[in-house]
Amino acid sequence: MLFYEGVLYEFTDGSYQEYGVDAEAEGRTPGEIDVNNAVFFESGAISINEDDVELQMMKGVNMPINANGADIFGYEAFGELILLERSMKSADSGTEIGDHLDVLDQQLDRVLSAEANIGARQNRIMMTENRMDQQLITATRIMSDNEDVDFAEAIIQLVSHESILNASLSAGARIMQPSLIDFLR
């Protein structure tokens, strides 16, 4: 990997091609390189996990909750830091230092943008959690309204049914008078 003049190049097929760009379509190469302004990295020198960590919001709905490291940090950020270090060690003018600091400010903006993105996701997760809590409370209340006993109404119905039972037993006893055989049994 080669970081030169703000562009990242990858050594493939015997030459440097711009990283992430189709080499056949673009065919851009760094040309002649000023070694003092170039940073060389071994392949895999910076290991960045680009996998999403997802949270299942509900069945079938997943949300990534992390930031992609390649979008925030990469060869470019570390290349600029190395070039800034070189500029600070040399007795050159401060304009180079200022240029590197401007690029690092842009990198910082990328970090802040990623933080804002994660914060927005966190707010969405919290709002979803609050909405689900409210739905649970509402569902519990509705189930309670449907299934719970109204004690006053239940006692009134019990007394009413008991009175009807006693009246029907009393009427039945008057209709069927006991006979002598009933007394002997």
Side-chain angles (χ1 to χ4, degrees), residues 129-142:
E129 181 182 21
N130 290 339
R131 190 176 326 123
M132 289 179 150
D133 287 344
Q134 287 297 333
Q135 287 177 346
L136 178 64
I137 291 169
T138 303
T140 303
R141 183 183 48 79
I142 289 171

Side-chain angles (χ1 to χ4, degrees), residues 57 61 63 119-129:
M57 301 290 288
V61 178
M63 176 188 286
R121 290 180 197 168
Q122 181 182 10
N123 287 342
R124 181 174 172 201
I125 290 169
M126 290 173 66
M127 286 189 329
T128 303
E129 181 182 21

Side-chain angles (χ1 to χ4, degrees), residues 13-87:
D13 299 328
S15 65
Y16 280 101
Q17 302 294 328
E18 192 170 340
Y19 184 72
V21 176
D22 184 9
E24 293 178 11
E26 295 293 327
R28 289 188 279 191
T29 60
E32 192 170 318
I33 299 170
D34 178 11
V35 180
N36 294 328
N37 292 327
V39 178
F40 293 93
F41 295 100
E42 290 183 27
S43 181
I46 299 173
S47 176
I48 298 174
N49 184 353
E50 297 183 30
D51 295 337
D52 283 336
V53 176
E54 292 185 341
L55 175 69
Q56 183 175 2
M57 301 290 288
M58 57 189 77
K59 187 173 183 175
V61 178
N62 294 336
M63 176 188 286
I65 58 172
N66 67 326
N68 188 335
D71 293 341
I72 301 170
F73 296 108
Y75 290 96
E76 296 90 349
F78 292 105
E80 281 298 330
L81 284 173
I82 291 170
L83 290 174
L84 174 64
E85 177 189 24
R86 286 182 190 166
S87 294

